[in-house]
Structure formats: structure tokens, C-alpha cells
Amino acid sequence: QSARNLLVIGVRVEALEARNRKRGLVPEATIAKLDEDRNLVFGWANVALTADGELVTDSHDDQIDPETLEDAAYEFALSFREANEMHEGPVIGDMVESVVFTDEKIAAMGLPAGTVPQGWWIGLKLEPEAFAKVKDGTYSMFSIEGIAERVAA
């Protein structure tokens, strides 16, 4: 498996965080929950649309539509399921949870429209050394890595 097919525990890009906070957006790839007893981390791998329907622009000025994100998440879950650090190095964790929230799934779950972003929520079980870096704040977000074709909007 190549490094480009791994989820990555990465460092938050401060400029992106500040811009999205100013715009009132949900941080799109934040680690939201830790389970210290099991070395589990949970959060958004990517958010395509905010809960109010605004398209999210990432730190590379890229946007991903919900359908494309859903396809990528399914391919990852079927074929890869591993994580590394900072887009390099050995595997440091495995995906244990994955759901892509779309309008249809949000409605099927009985959640009110406009309350949950359209995005990919994941859970990873990390090696102890990697989990320690999340716990101490060294890493606060996920970064998805892959190959895509840029299309002008």
C-alpha cells in the first residue's frame, strides 16, 4: 500500500483554522474525541459542506463535493484503512469507524436538516506513541491524502 492511500494524523494549519473560525465554520478535519483506554481518536476526516450548506475550502484551496468524498471514503474503507504520520513513515493506526454524512443519511437517521455537516467522520485506533502525540496536542487534525484531478469551478 502506498503512502498516498493512507489517512494521516497531521498538524492543524493555523491560517486555515483562523479563517474558518472567522467565517463561523466547523473546523473540517479536527480530532473531536479521544478514548484514552483504547487509544482511539475520532473526528472529521473531511467536511465537504457545513451544516448550513456552505462549501468548505481546505488549506490547499481545494473543495470536494459530497459525492466525491463519499466515493473516496468507501474506496479507503474497502482497500486501505491505515494511517500514518504527516503523510510519511510507517503505519501508526487502523480505521475502526467510518461514516459519510450526506443529506440522505442525515434524514434517514432522523437528524434535523442543517444540524450536521456533510462530511466523513472516522475513528482510528493508534499505536501508543502516535496516540500520545494526539493527546499532548502535537496533532489536532486528520489529513486525507490521495490523488485527484483539480477541476476549475
Side-chain angles (χ1 to χ4, degrees), residues 12-30 47 50 54-63 141:
R12 167 151 305 287
V13 178
E14 295 301 325
L16 176 67
E17 183 179 42
R19 182 186 74 206
N20 282 348
R21 215 177 16 248
K22 183 177 181 183
R23 293 170 60 205
L25 299 179
V26 173
E28 65 273 5
T30 56
V47 172
T50 63
E54 186 175 342
L55 194 60
V56 174
T57 302
D58 70 16
S59 61
H60 301 286
D61 288 326
D62 292 326
Q63 299 171 330
M141 69 176 285

Side-chain angles (χ1 to χ4, degrees), residues 3-137:
R4 68 175 174 258
N5 295 318
L6 301 175
L7 274 172
V8 178
I9 304 297
V11 177
R12 167 151 305 287
V13 178
E14 295 301 325
L16 176 67
E17 183 179 42
R19 182 186 74 206
N20 282 348
R21 215 177 16 248
K22 183 177 181 183
R23 293 170 60 205
L25 299 179
V26 173
E28 65 273 5
T30 56
I31 295 172
K33 180 182 182 304
L34 302 178
D35 180 333
E36 293 185 36
D37 293 334
R38 296 184 281 182
N39 287 0
L40 297 172
V41 296
F42 301 90
W44 295 105
N46 189 277
V47 172
L49 297 175
T50 63
D52 62 1
E54 186 175 342
L55 194 60
V56 174
T57 302
D58 70 16
S59 61
H60 301 286
D61 288 326
D62 292 326
Q63 299 171 330
I64 185 168
D65 64 80
E67 296 80 17
T68 301
L69 179 60
E70 186 175 33
D71 289 344
Y74 293 158
E75 179 63 25
F76 181 82
L78 287 168
S79 302
F80 305 106
R81 296 181 298 279
E82 295 176 333
N84 68 4
E85 285 185 72
M86 301 301 295
H87 299 280
E88 58 187 38
V91 171
I92 53 89
D94 295 289
M95 186 172 68
V96 296
E97 183 172 292
S98 176
V99 64
V100 179
F101 287 89
T102 63
D103 278 340
E104 296 80 14
K105 291 176 192 169
I106 292 167
M109 291 176 190
L111 301 171
T115 59
V116 178
Q118 290 190 50
W120 182 18
W121 176 271
I122 61 167
L124 298 176
K125 180 166 181 68
L126 299 179
E127 297 293 329
E129 299 80 21
F131 185 82
K133 291 178 183 177
V134 173
K135 187 176 172 186
D136 74 11

